[in-house]
Amino acid sequence: QKVPNWQGEVIESDYPLIQNGKVMGNVTIAFYGPYYFTDSDVAFMETLNLLLLVVSGIAIVMALTVGTIMARRISRPLSIVMETANEIAKGNYEARSKSHSTTVEIDALTDSINELAETLENQEKLRQRLTSDVAHELRTPLATLQSHMEAMIDGIWVADASRLMSCHDEIVRISQLVGDLEKLARVENEAFRGERAPVKLKQIVENQIKNFESDFYKKQSPIEFECKTEDLLMADNNQLNQVVVNLMSNALKYSPDCSPLKIRLYETSSTMVLEFEDFGYGISEADLPFIFERFYRADHSRNRTTGGAGIGLTISQAIIKGHGGKITVMSTLGKGSIFKIVLPKTSVI
Ligand code: ADP
C-alpha cells in the first residue's frame, strides 16, 4: 500500500552467478525501499500511534492529578502554619498550629513555630509578673515613707533624727531593690555575656572571705575553706564575685551566731565545683523549689529584718547559667543548706 507522502519503492538488484568464468545464472534480490509499507505494517503503526496517544493522555492526566494532590498536601499545612505565624505576629501568643504533614521538614517548621509561640507566651507572662512583682515590692517601702512624711508634715510626728533615719532606711531599701533589678536585667540579658578572661576561683573565694571576715567574726561564725584546685576558668570575674558574695551573705543572714560556713572548691574530670555549706536555719521542702525565683523569700518575717528582696539567688542563677553551669541547693529546715555550683571545665585553660 502506498501511503500518501510516504515515498517508497521496491528496489531490485541483479547479481550474476559465475563459476569458472562462466555465467551460471542470475540472482535478483529485491527489498522494500524506505517508507514502503504493507497494509498490516500501516495498521500496526496506526494502532501503535493511537496507543501512544492514549498512554500520553493518561500520563498527563495522572501527572496533573498527582501534582495537584502533592501540592495541596504541601501547601495546606504550610498555609495553616502561616496563619499561626500571622496570629503570633498580631500578639496572640496562645496560637498553636495543629497541622500534621507527611513531609518531615513541614512538621519541623510547625514544631518550631509552636515552640516560638510558647517562648513568647512565657516571656509575656514573665514580663507581666515582673511588672506586678516590682510594683508590689516598691509599694510597701513607698507607703511607709509616705505615711511617715505625711505624719511629720502634719505635725503629728516631730521630724527628729530617729524618724528621719527610718525614712532614710526605706529609701536605702528602695535604691537597693532598684540596683538589684538593674543587675538582674543585665545578667539575664542573653546578648550580654559579660567578659571572659582567665579567672582563679580560689582567688575570688579567698578575697571574699577577707571581705566578710569582720561580719562573720562579729557573729563568731568560723569560715572553713577547703581548696583542691588552683585551675583557671574563662569567666567574668565581677559576675563570679557577685555569686560568691550572694551565697556568703545568705549563709551569714540565714544562720544563727556561732554557726560555721564551710566552702569547698574541687574539680571532677569535666567540671569545677564550688560548695557552700551552712548550718543555719535551712529551707523548708515547700520553699525549696522556688528560692531561685525573683522576689521569693522563704521566711517573710525574718527577711523583713535582714532586708533581702529575694533577688540574690535569681541573679546568681542567671550568672551561672550564663557561664554554662548549674546551681543547685540541698537543705533541711533547722539544720542548714548546701549550695552547689558546677561550672563546665571546657572553659578551663
Ligand atoms: P534575699 O535577698 O531575700 O536573701 P535570695 O534570692 O538570696 O534573696 O534568697 C531567696 C530566699 O531563699 C531567701 O529569702 C531565704 O529565705 C532563702 N535562702 C537563701 N539562702 C539561704 C540559706 N543559706 N539558708 C536559708 N535560707 C536561705
Side-chain angles (χ1 to χ4, degrees), residues 146-189:
Q146 189 182 351
S147 66
H148 286 197
M149 287 296 191
E150 281 170 1
M152 284 189 269
I153 292 166
D154 295 346
I156 302 168
W157 279 2
V158 184
D160 58 13
S162 76
R163 295 261 151 80
L164 289 174
M165 199 59 202
S166 96
C167 289
H168 179 260
D169 285 351
E170 290 301 330
I171 293 171
V172 168
R173 270 165 63 96
I174 297 171
S175 43
Q176 241 171 24
L177 174 66
V178 173
D180 278 353
L181 281 171
E182 254 171 9
K183 255 185 238 158
L184 182 61
R186 213 173 321 125
V187 293
E188 277 195 332
N189 180 1

Side-chain angles (χ1 to χ4, degrees), residues 8-25:
E9 54 187 330
V10 177
I11 297 166
E12 285 183 6
S13 302
D14 289 333
Y15 299 97
L17 293 172
I18 301 167
Q19 196 183 25
N20 300 331
K22 271 174 86 182
V23 176
M24 303 291 288

Side-chain angles (χ1 to χ4, degrees), residues 250 253-254 278 283 291 296-298 303 308-310 312-313 337 339:
N250 277 355
K253 278 191 285 186
Y254 305 115
D278 68 58
I283 304 158
I291 58 160
Y296 193 85
R297 284 165 294 200
N303 274 290
L313 286 179
S337 321
F339 283 86

Side-chain angles (χ1 to χ4, degrees), residues 31 67-69 74 87 100 103 116 119 149 189 193 211-212 221-222 238 277 285 290 292 295 319 321 327 348:
F31 58 91
T68 317
I69 292 171
I74 294 173
E87 281 296 306
H100 283 291
T103 317
L116 174 76
T119 313
M149 287 296 191
N189 180 1
R193 260 184 83 237
N211 291 342
F212 275 92
S221 303
N238 285 340
E277 181 176 15
E285 241 175 82
F290 308 106
F292 290 102
F295 302 117
I319 290 175
K321 268 192 186 167
I327 178 165
V348 176

Side-chain angles (χ1 to χ4, degrees), residues 4 28 36 57 90 212 255 266 272 286 290 295 299 303 340 344:
T28 307
Y36 193 89
K90 279 184 211 151
F212 275 92
S255 300
Y266 57 91
M272 298 264 279
F290 308 106
F295 302 117
D299 185 339
N303 274 290
K340 183 173 175 182

Side-chain angles (χ1 to χ4, degrees), residues 115-130:
E115 272 168 35
L116 174 76
E118 184 132 0
T119 313
L120 286 171
E121 194 183 350
N122 286 341
Q123 287 293 323
E124 179 65 11
K125 275 188 195 151
L126 214 69
R127 194 184 62 77
Q128 283 170 359
R129 221 195 67 194
L130 181 64

